Amino acid sequence: MSQYDGLPGDWQLVVGLEVHVELATATKLFSASPNRFGDEPNTNIDPVTLGLPGALPVLNEQAVELAMRIGAALNCTIQACTFHRKNYFYPDMPKAYQISQYDQPLNVDGYLDLPNGVRVGIERAHMEEDAGKSTHVGGSGGRVHGATYSLIDLNRAGVPLVEIVSRPDIHSADDARAYVNELRGILVAIDASDAKMEEGSMRVDANVSVHKPGTPLGTRCEIKNVNSVRSIGRAIEYEARRQIDLIEGGDVVRQQTRHWDEGDGRTHTLRSKEDADDYRYFLEPDLVPLAPSAEWIAKVKAALPMLPAARRARLADATGQAANSEAVTIVVDRGQDDYVLAIAAAGGDAARGLVYVKEAFADSPKVAAADVAVLTQMEVSGAITATQAKTVLAELVAKGGGDAAAIAAAHGFEAIDTSAVEAFVDEAIATDPDAWQKFCSGDAKAMGALVGLVMKASKGKADGKAVSASLQQRRSDHG
Amino acid sequence: MSTPSAPATTAAAIAAGVRDGSLKAADIVEQHLAAIATREPEIHAFNLVLADEARAAAAQIDQRVAAGEDPGPLAGVTVALKDNMCTRGIPTTCSSKILEGWRPPYDATVVSTLRDAGAIVVGKTNLDEFAMGSSTENSAFGPTRNPHDTSRVPGGSSGGSAASVAAGFSQVSFGSDTGGSIRQPAALCGVVGVKPTYGYVSRYGLIAFASSLDQIGPFTNSVEDAALMLDVIGGHDPLDSTSIPQAHPSLRDAMQQDVAGLRIGRITDLPEGADPDVVERLEVAFDTLRAAGAKIVDVQVPAFTFGLTAYYLIAPAEASSNLARYDGVRYGMRVEAADTNAMYGATRAAGFGDEVKRRIMLGTYALSAGYYDAYYGKALKVRRLISDDFDRAYQHADVLLTPTSPSVAFQFGAKGDNPLAMYLCDTYTIPSNLSGQPGMSVPFGTGAHGLPVGVQVLAGTLQEPTMFRVAAALEAAATKERGLQNGGVR
């Protein structure tokens, strides 16, 4: 399969992503109102948020610090910058302009490495304020067209955003998903944002075009309303196919902004380049230039925590797993890697620790790492089986810790030796000769039935792996 | 032609008297309310007179004095506020129909500072709509008349504030100056008017016309009162990022020093167009300062002459953005229509006057894609040139002297149909808004028809102390001259 999976012929996909993230500040970008999701509508407001005549913006230092952290984590140059006004009318935009950064953004020229080694350039990561939220009632699909009225909640107006603009270095839907996942992991790790797509604190727009190798880049379309990591891939794949069909049908791609419809799995025209607003950008006269000192920048960089890629490498190293393995990825994603390392540090087996943590702890573990360390050793040493270990682990989780050995003893768990396993297997074959025959003729499902019989007879004490091994040995002997 | 009421005293004297109990704030307020009752119907300085509020505030100050508390440095001083400064719970209209009836939920920083200092607000004054104009004829609520001659304009855009002081309606008043809107009406009404260095006074709560140019300043009967007002309202405001983050020296102290040895600049390439009577008074001003020991030096400010053109791109550009919020969605006027876009259009068409619409269109055009570089971008370059030229001039001169206005107060309607003629009123005041530097108008005798003439003193960034020294010298000379004309009786 080529790198450009999903596209016919030698078409190549070119994608750049624009990701808006809401910063996890206490207050808004330019006022003292709380930056809080989910409050009663229009309660986190003040003269600045409402754009009342005479109100003036004052830049939030914490927002700048978080934005600088993002720049540092994305290997950007952090520079002196300015704010501009982006002018357009919309009812949820109280001043009729958005304060954003234009030709001198805070962060420029960085990059993000995907777990598969692909490096995606970051053009810029600039600060801006969010608009309010409009809810259109009475139309279809929540769109303003056809709505009978609209509700406006200005709690979100003025919430600090950083817009992270990638270079068009993404060439597959998988890489687009990986980029968003990796970016989200970084943002959470550095406490810059909770980066929840479902709550809108992370929003992704995709610029998609197609071309053939050695030819100029194609005309791009911007896809909006992509609200989950899964939809990113779907939307990009759909859009690429749409563009290829147009070109192959003798038509041309027109530069447009398109709306992704999750329901029908298509993109629809929102507006074309010709109807695009002229934003009449100009330097925001109510703010002064922002020039973070070299000391401040150095302090932000020095205070950066270990990022997900480094943490995956560290966990992979400790557990002997691949850095991009599912278990390593998931555990680092959940921020449980320190816990796995603590299990190892307490004398436990890191590899088993990784599996336990991935399987048993959905969120932050409440069990002392030393307790789990004991359990991993019991399993690795063969004192109990993997199946039994799972039972003990479940009990440790339920009780919030305890003595794994005592729990195992209370269950009567002990390792069953090989001869006992063989006896149980003999008994199972005798009980269900049909299954045995099917297993011998290659029916994989039949093995499950036989293992089940052994487990039942041994009251779960038999090691499932030993049972499978015995059955397979017998089949090859039999064959 | 009626004469304005002569100032009984100064703000400084009133505050001193109220503080030591020899004057009652209540009496001060009644005197001003009486003047308002007599002449306001003819002058129309106010959009709103706050008689009850003023009386209540005065009573409170007198009680504080009686209780031995400090009533503040401006105790009992009556002030009038240009109706583009937000006053909590009190209608603030910018003399525009689009904001009629709107009551701000907060006070401008200047307003709360003045109140905390013991000043008493007697009313909100009339202005050209959104401070766009030079005659106060652009008010949606009718023009203000010049107290010196009610057939003439008071100047603008802060015409109501200038007239209020000239007519004795308030001891002092406050306006905003974006291109001359304090200095020009001060000159036409015969009072002192100051536009300080950009950032000297907080703009928080001043309804923006052109944010990079707007600055609040006082109208007073004396240079010392103007110094006192700036000493109270000047300083950093954490709510205004563009306010200068440092304390200012006392101007009341600084102005005590004479002008001996100061270099007074005469701009040899100043744009022409001032009337002979105005030019004559400027010459007298130079002579006066020379006689007082100052040195007159010739300087050039070549870009001065481009100020007007650059201003009429930059100010409308910012205004087009600042005034976009008046869309009928959240406050002020709304004209219902079929959909949101139609509602915007109908509301703004009905709510804004012609001059405001003209500037919004000018500014929108100047910022548009394809025109930005030729208009707004070029205007910014000119702005830079003007600043550089001023900086060079201030290496040779401590202050510059120019006319404030090319003419004395003109008749109503004289320029009403000719926006360009009206714009030329601000030829001499605009460049210092573009450079962000201070300027003030000092009444300096009379010109044609016996009407007041103002002389403008310009200075470098934060050079208010020097500017006030020169202003005080001009004031002293004008007072002496007036005394001589009156046969030695003041």
Side-chain angles (χ1 to χ4, degrees):
Chain A
M1 189 186 282
S2 85
Q3 190 190 352
Y4 311 103
D5 47 347
L7 295 198
D10 56 352
W11 286 103
Q12 289 191 349
L13 175 64
V14 179
V15 176
L17 296 176
E18 292 174 12
V19 179
H20 286 85
V21 291
E22 289 181 356
L23 298 180
T25 52
T27 58
K28 293 189 177 182
L29 186 52
F30 298 117
S31 79
S33 282
N35 168 18
R36 212 162 41 214
F37 180 79
D39 283 1
E40 190 71 17
N42 297 312
T43 53
N44 297 334
I45 54 170
D46 57 82
V48 176
T49 300
L50 293 173
L52 292 187
L56 296 172
V58 177
L59 184 58
N60 176 343
E61 184 176 342
Q62 190 196 10
V64 176
E65 170 119 6
L66 293 185
M68 286 165 66
R69 225 184 266 176
I70 291 174
L74 296 177
N75 310 292
C76 292
T77 301
I78 301 170
Q79 60 178 17
C81 58
T82 55
F83 288 89
H84 274 64
R85 290 188 185 175
K86 178 181 182 178
N87 296 285
Y88 64 95
F89 287 94
Y90 203 77
D92 62 21
M93 172 63 70
K95 303 186 295 300
Y97 57 82
Q98 177 194 33
I99 303 177
S100 180
Q101 295 194 298
Y102 184 52
D103 53 358
Q104 288 173 278
L106 176 65
N107 306 301
V108 294
D109 288 333
Y111 61 85
L112 173 63
D113 286 332
L114 305 185
N116 66 3
V118 169
R119 174 165 290 188
V120 179
I122 304 292
E123 188 179 310
R124 56 191 282 155
H126 70 252
M127 307 181 72
E128 62 186 28
E129 59 179 338
D130 208 345
K133 190 170 173 51
S134 291
T135 305
H136 306 296
V137 182
S140 67
R143 295 176 69 176
V144 66
H145 184 74
T148 46
Y149 63 94
S150 302
L151 300 169
I152 299 171
D153 178 7
L154 294 175
N155 283 353
R156 200 180 70 179
V159 162
L161 297 177
V162 166
E163 180 177 348
I164 301 158
V165 181
S166 88
R167 295 196 188 281
D169 294 347
I170 297 166
H171 299 291
S172 73
D174 281 347
D175 281 0
R177 278 189 291 258
Y179 173 88
V180 172
N181 277 326
E182 190 65 11
L183 184 58
R184 187 172 55 186
I186 290 170
L187 295 169
V188 171
I190 62 176
D191 292 324
S193 174
D194 61 7
K196 290 179 181 164
M197 286 188 81
E198 63 278 15
E199 286 185 5
S201 61
M202 179 166 178
R203 307 194 278 273
V204 181
D205 299 331
N207 283 300
V208 178
S209 68
V210 296
H211 74 140
K212 296 207 171 187
T215 67
L217 292 178
T219 303
R220 65 189 155 87
C221 288
E222 183 180 6
I223 315 301
K224 289 189 173 290
N225 193 44
V226 188
N227 296 325
S228 69
V229 175
R230 183 170 162 269
S231 332
I232 292 164
R234 290 180 67 207
I236 290 172
E237 276 162 5
Y238 171 84
E239 178 60 20
R241 289 304 298 255
R242 188 189 71 85
Q243 294 182 10
I244 292 166
D245 288 349
L246 274 177
I247 299 165
E248 292 189 337
D251 211 336
V252 292
V253 176
R254 285 172 191 81
Q255 190 173 331
Q256 287 176 335
T257 300
R258 300 180 65 83
H259 181 94
W260 167 250
D261 187 324
E262 188 68 44
D264 68 6
R266 294 161 177 263
T267 62
H268 301 272
T269 309
L270 207 56
R271 57 182 174 267
S272 62
K273 191 191 174 190
E274 293 73 40
D275 337 308
D277 281 320
D278 177 355
Y279 292 124
R280 291 173 284 117
Y281 279 99
F282 71 102
L283 199 64
E284 165 58 284
D286 289 331
L287 292 169
V288 293
L290 167 67
S293 67
E295 293 75 29
W296 192 11
I297 294 171
K299 209 176 109 200
V300 165
K301 284 183 174 169
L304 271 192
M306 189 179 269
L307 299 182
R311 282 164 47 191
R312 283 195 303 269
R314 181 181 62 158
L315 186 62
D317 194 45
T319 58
Q321 305 297 306
N324 61 354
S325 66
E326 192 194 3
V328 168
T329 305
I330 288 176
V331 166
V332 168
D333 232 34
R334 292 190 199 141
Q336 299 164 330
D337 43 328
D338 281 340
Y339 184 70
V340 173
L341 296 172
I343 292 170
D349 181 82
R352 290 313 297 160
L354 175 64
V355 174
Y356 286 7
V357 171
K358 175 186 165 246
E359 300 292 338
F361 299 100
D363 43 35
S364 63
K366 307 276 193 299
V367 181
D371 293 349
V372 181
V374 169
L375 182 61
T376 64
Q377 281 308 334
M378 289 169 62
E379 188 197 329
V380 171
S381 67
I384 57 172
T385 66
T387 313
Q388 291 167 340
K390 200 170 173 179
T391 306
V392 176
L393 182 59
E395 205 165 316
L396 279 176
V397 171
K399 291 180 174 169
D403 180 354
I407 294 170
H411 280 276
F413 289 162
E414 53 193 300
I416 293 174
D417 64 28
T418 313
S419 62
V421 168
E422 295 301 329
F424 280 122
V425 173
D426 287 343
E427 192 185 318
I429 290 171
T431 308
D432 193 349
D434 261 12
W436 171 243
Q437 283 306 323
K438 283 183 188 160
F439 173 63
C440 288
S441 54
D443 184 348
K445 271 188 271 180
M447 183 164 86
L450 296 167
V451 173
L453 285 170
V454 172
M455 287 301 174
K456 196 175 168 189
S458 70
K459 297 189 169 62
K461 290 178 192 174
D463 184 346
K465 272 190 261 176
V467 177
S468 310
S470 165
L471 282 166
Q472 272 154 356
Q473 184 60 44
R474 283 162 189 252
R475 181 172 63 182
S476 55
D477 292 350
H478 184 77
Chain B
M1 181 167 124
S2 54
T3 46
S5 353
T9 180
T10 66
I14 288 170
V18 169
R19 287 167 64 84
D20 70 17
S22 61
L23 290 174
K24 288 273 175 267
D27 295 339
I28 307 290
V29 164
E30 290 308 331
Q31 285 165 20
H32 289 294
L33 291 178
I36 292 170
T38 309
R39 284 200 80 196
E40 169 62 5
E42 164 191 36
I43 303 294
H44 187 220
F46 292 100
N47 285 340
L48 182 65
V49 175
L50 297 163
D52 294 344
E53 291 86 344
R55 288 188 174 111
Q60 211 169 33
I61 284 166
D62 289 335
Q63 279 163 18
R64 292 189 66 182
V65 174
E69 294 169 29
D70 184 346
L74 299 183
V77 176
T78 52
V79 307
L81 302 169
K82 190 176 183 179
D83 202 16
N84 62 354
M85 296 178 204
C86 287
T87 40
R88 184 178 176 144
I90 295 168
T92 301
T93 67
C94 286
S95 289
S96 179
K97 281 190 281 185
I98 211 158
L99 270 178
E100 201 171 357
W102 179 63
R103 292 167 190 261
Y106 73 106
D107 275 330
T109 297
V110 161
V111 174
S112 53
T113 302
L114 285 169
R115 286 216 181 97
D116 290 349
I120 297 167
V121 178
V122 298
K124 304 294 292 286
T125 61
N126 196 15
L127 61 148
D128 285 300
E129 184 177 4
F130 282 101
M132 297 176 186
S134 306
S135 67
T136 318
E137 289 169 292
N138 293 335
S139 167
F141 309 133
T144 296
R145 296 177 180 277
N146 192 317
H148 292 269
D149 178 350
T150 53
S151 72
R152 293 173 187 271
V153 303
S157 66
S158 311
S161 287
S164 176
V165 173
F169 296 164
S170 60
Q171 188 61 40
V172 303
S173 67
F174 290 85
S176 62
D177 189 315
T178 306
S181 283
I182 291 173
R183 292 161 287 166
Q184 185 256 13
L188 270 48
C189 288
V191 298
V192 175
V194 189
K195 181 206 89 81
T197 297
Y198 184 77
Y200 198 98
V201 177
S202 169
R203 291 186 297 117
Y204 189 78
L206 169 68
I207 299 180
F209 161 15
S211 314
S212 76
L213 302 162
D214 297 343
Q215 190 57 197
I216 290 176
F219 290 92
T220 59
N221 286 309
S222 73
V223 173
E224 186 186 17
D225 278 358
L228 173 61
M229 293 306 130
L230 285 178
D231 284 350
V232 170
I233 66 171
H236 182 61
D237 178 4
L239 295 178
D240 176 1
S241 312
T242 63
S243 73
I244 295 167
Q246 69 190 52
H248 305 305
S250 163
L251 297 175
R252 238 182 130 192
D253 292 346
M255 63 174 277
Q256 304 304 327
Q257 206 182 336
D258 66 26
V259 295
L262 283 184
R263 300 165 303 168
I264 313 295
R266 175 202 299 273
I267 303 177
T268 55
D269 51 358
L270 194 69
E272 288 176 5
D275 289 347
D277 54 329
V278 172
V279 173
E280 191 191 316
R281 291 308 302 166
L282 180 65
E283 289 309 319
V284 174
F286 278 119
D287 292 345
T288 297
L289 293 172
R290 188 186 293 114
K295 193 179 156 195
I296 312 302
V297 296
D298 285 351
V299 297
Q300 292 190 314
V301 188
F304 199 107
T305 191
F306 303 124
L308 199 69
T309 322
Y311 175 87
Y312 276 99
L313 291 167
I314 292 169
E318 293 184 18
S320 72
S321 173
N322 284 328
L323 272 62
R325 71 189 63 195
Y326 307 108
D327 58 8
V329 174
R330 293 164 306 281
Y331 48 77
M333 175 189 272
R334 175 190 288 183
V335 177
E336 297 293 350
D339 60 31
T340 307
N341 278 327
M343 185 277 285
Y344 290 156
T347 298
R348 291 165 67 81
F352 289 137
D354 287 348
E355 184 60 27
V356 172
K357 286 176 190 163
R358 175 158 36 238
R359 298 202 196 188
I360 289 173
M361 285 188 279
L362 260 173
T364 302
Y365 186 78
L367 286 173
S368 295
Y371 300 99
Y372 180 100
D373 291 341
Y375 297 109
Y376 184 72
K378 188 154 274 179
L380 290 183
K381 287 177 186 160
V382 171
R383 185 176 191 172
R384 181 78 253 162
L385 278 181
I386 289 171
S387 288
D388 292 348
D389 281 357
F390 270 127
D391 287 346
R392 266 192 292 277
Y394 288 125
Q395 288 173 6
H396 304 289
D398 298 301
V399 300
L400 307 176
L401 238 54
T402 75
T404 304
S405 159
S407 73
V408 295
F410 47 90
Q411 303 270 347
F412 283 100
K415 309 183 188 213
D417 295 332
N418 185 349
L420 280 178
M422 189 71 86
Y423 294 172
L424 284 168
C425 293
D426 298 327
T427 300
Y428 301 122
T429 47
I430 275 173
S432 56
N433 292 87
L434 291 168
S435 68
Q437 292 168 322
M440 67 192 288
S441 182
V442 184
F444 198 70
T446 53
H449 317 290
L451 290 164
V453 170
V455 164
Q456 181 176 228
V457 187
L458 300 174
T461 304
L462 289 177
Q463 297 307 305
E464 277 85 351
T466 314
M467 181 173 82
F468 268 81
R469 283 167 64 188
V470 174
L474 289 173
E475 178 183 57
T479 305
K480 196 171 153 196
E481 190 181 18
R482 193 163 61 237
L484 289 173
Q485 282 165 359
N486 292 348
V489 181
R490 194 182 161 193

